[in-house]
Amino acid sequence: MTRVILGVRGMDTDSARAKVKATLEGLVGIDSVEVVQDGQATVSYDPSEVTIMDLIRALRGIGFLAGME
């Protein structure tokens, strides 16, 4: 497993954090997701199944801007 920390803009409410967490956890190859109030999501994933760009695209698809920190 590989771990990445993503900065996620707009994740400033409990419901937004829950939406981000659920979206990332729904992707194939995700082992765990930790979302914190400071706008960061720590994702443990299998790079043979999902890429960082897949994570970013998934978040953009639900209306959040994301990038690597």
Side-chain angles (χ1 to χ4, degrees):
M1 289 293 157
T2 300
R3 190 174 150 221
V4 67
I5 297 173
L6 298 175
V8 184
R9 289 190 190 165
M11 195 173 58
D12 51 2
T13 64
D14 288 340
S15 63
R17 286 186 286 278
K19 188 174 183 180
V20 166
K21 183 175 174 73
T23 297
L24 292 174
E25 287 177 335
L27 298 174
V28 173
I30 299 299
D31 181 54
S32 66
V33 177
E34 180 185 348
V35 177
V36 293
Q37 289 184 356
D38 65 357
Q40 291 184 333
T42 302
V43 184
S44 179
Y45 67 99
D46 182 344
S48 69
E49 295 190 51
V50 66
T51 67
I52 292 171
M53 281 309 300
D54 293 331
L55 305 177
I56 292 170
R57 280 189 206 104
L59 294 177
R60 286 182 183 164
I62 60 168
F64 294 91
L65 294 176
M68 287 182 51
E69 292 211 344

